[in-house]
Each structure stands twice: as C-alpha cells, then as structure tokens.
C-alpha cells in the first residue's frame, strides 16, 4: 500500500478529534487511557514520582512512552474520581482548556551536545504562550509544534509547525516541513503562536497542517513573512530541508542514540531505552533518584543530562548500550488493551527485543498506531494469527510484502 502523496489533500475529517488527555481520557478495552503532555520532553523528579504513584495506585503499574515524547497511563479505573488528581496537583495539567494541544517537541540534546543553537527553555516558554492564547484551545490534539536546534532531529518528526535553527540566533519557520521564512530565535515563540492562530482560518475540518492545501504559502501570507521559493511537497528527509547542506556540518547527531554522550562541557550524558517504551513505577522512581530532571524523547528513549548510574539502570532492565536490540523494537498497545487489535503484539515484540537486527514496529491492526518516522519494518497482525511484514521507506512508502508467523523468543531465553 503506497502512502498518499503529500500533494493530494485528504478528505475532510467527519468526526470530532478524540485525542486523549488527562482530563479527558480515552475509554480503552483495559480501562481509561490518559495522555500526559511533556512539552520539550521535560520530566522533573517530582513529576516522575507523581506519575509513578498514579500508575501504581490507579493504573496498570507503568507509564508508556509515546512517539511524541509524552507519557500515557493505561488501565485506569473509570469510576475513580481521584485517579488523576495527583497529576493535576503535580502541575502536569497547567491548563484545563489547552491541555490536549500542549504537544511540543524540542531537540533533547540541545545545550548538552551538538546542535547549532541552545533551545533549552524555549519549549516551556512556547507552552506558556500556547496556554495563554484562547484561539488555540480549539486546535486538534494531534497538532504538533517543534523546536529544532539545527541538527534536524525533531524537524524529521513531521511537526505541523517547526522552528529550526540555522545559526545560534537565527532560524527558519517550517509549516508541514516546508520552509516559509526566516525567524530569529528570540522571536520563535511569538511566530509559532501566530502561525498556529492562523491555522483555524485555513481549515475548519482538518487536524494537521499537511492536510491543508497550500498551508505553507497561506501561513506565510498571513504572517507577512519574507517570500521564499516553496517546494511543491514537504521534503521527507530533514537533511534536504535546507539548500545549504553545510548548515548541518557541525551537528554531531540527529536523534540521540542509546549510550553515553560526550557533553560539550566535557562531561557525560546518558541515553537509555526502556523495553518497549514501558516505565514501571519503580523505573520512574529510579530515574527520579538519579537525576533532578530527565528528557523524554519521541524515539521512546530517556536522556539523563548528568549521566546517571548506567549500572543501576541496566540492572533495572534499561538498554544502556547502542547495540542492544531493545532499541530497535516498538509496538502498539495490542490485545487486550486495544479492542481493535488482532494479537497480543507486545508479547510478540518482547521476543523481538532479544534478537532484532533491524528497526521494527509491531502492530495489531492496519491503523499502525505509534509507528516511527523513517525507514523501518512493520509487522501487522492478521486475522489468521500470522503477521504481514511491510518495509517502510524513509519517505513513508510501503513495499516488500511478506507473511510470517508470530515472533518467538530464541531458544534458551526466557
């Protein structure tokens, strides 16, 4: 099945957006599902402990990382009025009207290692500005902002609006991946909010900027930004979004890989990955003990800016080395949590975490929830108990269809 070309506008949305939050959880097969927004991926030790308490006392015992750098709690009791009060008390819901649109990515290693600009704190300022703008309360819960420090990591995550650094103080506004004008870092928050304010006037029925024909040109016109030569489609590879490839010359990495990271100040940071993006309550409490703040990434990894304790994290089950197959495998919720799933995909994905050799996402139906951006293989559960394997290229196109049995753990492993 080929992906829909970006130049072809999808049909209008015919139903209301039901993207979950804390105050409006989704009614899943295993109980209520609450999504906790973490602008910039910032999770303080106090917030981690609050999430751990809520997961242990009211949910399935774990927090689940999402592909947007947020957290989800599953298995919450639908009739428990106190289930989520601890999250509100911990400050994780600063706005009741804007809760679901606080989707803000930021380059997690910015100010720590690499990048052209230090964008630490910009996501928090953008979050405050979003919550202070009444016009943005009606945006879809799927609308995504990003602050990219120039390395192209979060710009590659298909944000609706993105500020991407070109130098330490200047950058470009991207609308659905298309550059529309030069914007100084000091003005990034104001311009992103103004661009978001323009979106409702472009469409009354679409949720994402990529679904609106000529969104980039229309936003540029609404903001009176300097005219740029606009490509006819959103470019799939973040490296192609600038005509001058030398802008990326000094960027050490795009998305941070698991393992130790040499900080710009000579110290060491650490990136770790929990198995299938699941953080048990004990894992959250361990992170809170090891670091006053960690960063949740959209690649289902955790950055500990000060390095933490690799041995303690490994003993708790985190992948701490780049060659761990854990880093290559992700999965949707699957059965029994999701009523639409055709298989217990997470148990099958756990088998893959012992031996995977390529980036693989395991899903229980054709919706392919939580699929990563970029090239990967997708194992899609079928009604007969098998999986269809489809290779997804870097531009989102599908090919190389195969059928296989459910993944099994290698012999001699538990």
């Amino acid at each position: 099945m080929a992906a829909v070309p970006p130049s072809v506008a999808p049909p209008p949305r015919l139903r209301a957006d039901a993207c979950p939050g804390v105050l409006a959880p989704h009614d899943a097969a295993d109980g209520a599902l609450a999504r906790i927004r973490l602008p910039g991926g910032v999770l303080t030790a106090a917030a981690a402990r609050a999430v751990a308490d809520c997961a242990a006392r009211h949910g399935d015992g774990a927090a689940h990382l999402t592909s947007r750098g947020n957290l989800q709690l599953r298995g919450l009791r639908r009739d428990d009025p106190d289930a989520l009060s601890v999250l509100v008390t911990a400050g994780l819901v600063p706005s009741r009207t804007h809760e679901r649109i606080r989707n803000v990515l930021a380059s997690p290693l910015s100010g720590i290692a690499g990048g052209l600009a230090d964008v630490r704190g910009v996501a928090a300022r953008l979050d405050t500005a979003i919550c202070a703008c009444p016009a943005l309360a009606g945006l879809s819960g799927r609308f995504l902002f990003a602050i990219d420090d120039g390395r192209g990591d979060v710009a590659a995550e298909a944000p609706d609006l993105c500020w991407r650094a070109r130098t330490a103080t200047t950058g470009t506004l991207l609308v659905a991946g298309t550059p529309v004008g030069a914007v100084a870092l000091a003005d990034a928050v104001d311009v992103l909010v103004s661009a978001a304010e323009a979106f409702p006037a472009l469409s009354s029925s679409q949720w994402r900027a990529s679904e609106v024909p000529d969104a980039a040109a229309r936003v540029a016109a609404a903001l009176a930004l300097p005219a740029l030569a606009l490509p006819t489609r959103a470019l799939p590879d973040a490296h192609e979004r600038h005509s001058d490839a030398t802008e990326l010359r000094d960027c050490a990495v795009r998305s941070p890989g698991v393992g130790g990271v040499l900080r710009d100040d000579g110290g060491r940071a650490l990136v770790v990955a929990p198995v299938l993006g699941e953080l048990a309550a004990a894992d959250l409490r361990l992170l809170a003990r090891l670091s006053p703040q960690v960063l949740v990434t959209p690649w289902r990894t955790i950055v500990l800016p000060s390095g933490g304790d690799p041995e303690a994290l490994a003993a708790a089950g985190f992948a701490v080395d780049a060659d761990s197959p854990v880093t290559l495998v992700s999965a949707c919720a699957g059965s029994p949590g999701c009523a639409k799933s055709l298989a217990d995909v997470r148990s099958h994905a756990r088998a893959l975490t012992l031996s995977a050799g390529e980036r693989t996402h395991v899903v229980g139906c054709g919706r392919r929830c939580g699929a990563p951006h970029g090239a990967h293989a997708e194992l899609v559960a079928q009604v007969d108990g098998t999986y269809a394997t489809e290779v997804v290229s870097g531009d989102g196109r599908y090919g190389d269809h195969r059928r296989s049995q459910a993944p099994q753990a290698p012999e001699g492993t538990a």
Side-chain angles (χ1 to χ4, degrees):
M1 180 180 69
V4 176
S7 60
V8 177
R13 303 279 190 174
L14 300 179
R15 61 180 177 85
D17 175 26
C19 195
V22 170
L23 303 178
H26 169 68
D27 192 17
D30 59 346
L33 179 156
R35 185 170 297 158
I36 306 166
R37 267 69 178 186
L38 301 176
V42 174
L43 181 67
T44 65
R49 287 190 289 266
V51 175
D53 290 345
C54 190
R57 297 175 184 174
H58 304 284
D60 68 358
H64 305 260
L65 305 185
T66 78
S67 60
R68 289 185 162 197
N70 294 319
L71 297 176
Q72 287 186 165
L73 296 177
R74 301 191 64 94
L76 298 166
R77 296 191 294 274
R78 301 177 179 90
D79 57 351
D80 184 355
D82 299 323
L84 302 169
S85 62
V86 65
L87 303 179
V88 176
T89 302
L92 289 166
V93 189
S95 171
R96 292 180 175 270
T97 55
H98 291 64
E99 180 205 355
R100 297 187 314 129
I101 67 163
R102 300 172 56 243
N103 302 302
V104 183
L105 299 179
S107 298
L109 289 183
S110 187
I112 299 172
L116 298 176
D118 186 345
V119 301
R120 287 177 296 182
V122 178
R125 296 197 295 274
L126 177 58
D127 180 37
T128 299
I130 289 170
C131 293
C133 183
L136 300 188
L139 286 178
S140 163
R142 291 165 171 77
F143 201 87
L144 181 62
F145 298 85
I147 308 291
D148 192 298
D149 68 359
R151 76 187 73 216
D153 53 358
V154 294
E157 293 300 304
D160 296 275
L161 297 174
C162 176
W163 182 88
R164 180 173 176 178
R166 299 175 67 93
T167 70
T169 58
T170 65
T172 301
L173 175 67
L174 304 169
V175 178
T178 297
V180 301
V183 177
L185 174 58
D187 299 325
V189 168
D190 290 341
V191 171
L192 286 166
V193 170
S194 296
E197 285 184 288
F199 183 77
L202 305 184
S203 173
S204 60
S205 60
Q206 305 294 7
W207 298 342
R208 305 296 308 278
S210 60
E211 299 170 353
V212 179
D214 303 319
R218 295 165 71 184
V219 167
L223 300 183
L225 294 174
L228 294 175
L230 300 179
T232 58
R233 63 182 180 89
L235 295 172
D237 189 324
H239 285 278
E240 297 176 345
R241 291 185 180 139
H242 291 301
S243 58
D244 186 0
T246 61
E247 293 176 5
L248 296 174
R249 179 187 304 155
D250 297 325
C251 298
V253 294
R254 286 176 58 191
S255 59
V258 167
V261 176
L262 180 63
R263 298 198 313 246
D264 292 338
D265 64 4
R268 300 288 293 184
L270 180 66
V271 183
V272 299
V275 177
L276 295 183
E278 293 182 13
L279 290 169
D283 297 332
L284 287 161
R285 295 186 181 113
L286 173 61
L287 291 171
R289 290 196 300 272
L290 294 178
S291 179
Q293 174 181 292
V294 298
L295 301 169
V296 177
T297 83
W299 309 287
R300 296 184 175 88
T301 57
I302 305 285
V303 178
L304 288 83
S306 58
D309 184 341
E311 291 185 0
L313 289 161
F318 288 86
V320 298
D321 297 314
D323 58 358
S324 171
V326 167
T327 66
L328 299 175
V329 183
S330 57
C332 71
S335 301
C338 177
K340 292 183 171 62
S341 179
L342 300 175
D344 180 4
V345 299
R346 296 189 79 79
S347 67
H348 297 154
R350 284 183 185 279
L352 284 176
T353 63
L354 301 174
S355 60
E358 62 178 343
R359 186 74 179 88
T360 305
H361 187 61
V362 190
V363 294
C365 74
R367 294 185 304 165
R368 298 176 167 85
C369 292
H373 293 283
H376 63 281
E378 285 184 355
L379 272 62
V380 185
Q382 306 295 301
V383 293
D384 63 0
T386 64
Y387 279 83
T389 301
E390 297 182 342
V391 177
V392 185
S393 65
D395 62 1
R397 297 185 179 276
Y398 290 84
D400 190 17
H401 301 260
R402 306 190 300 271
R403 281 293 183 99
S404 61
Q405 299 299 312
Q408 301 293 325
E411 291 186 13
T413 61

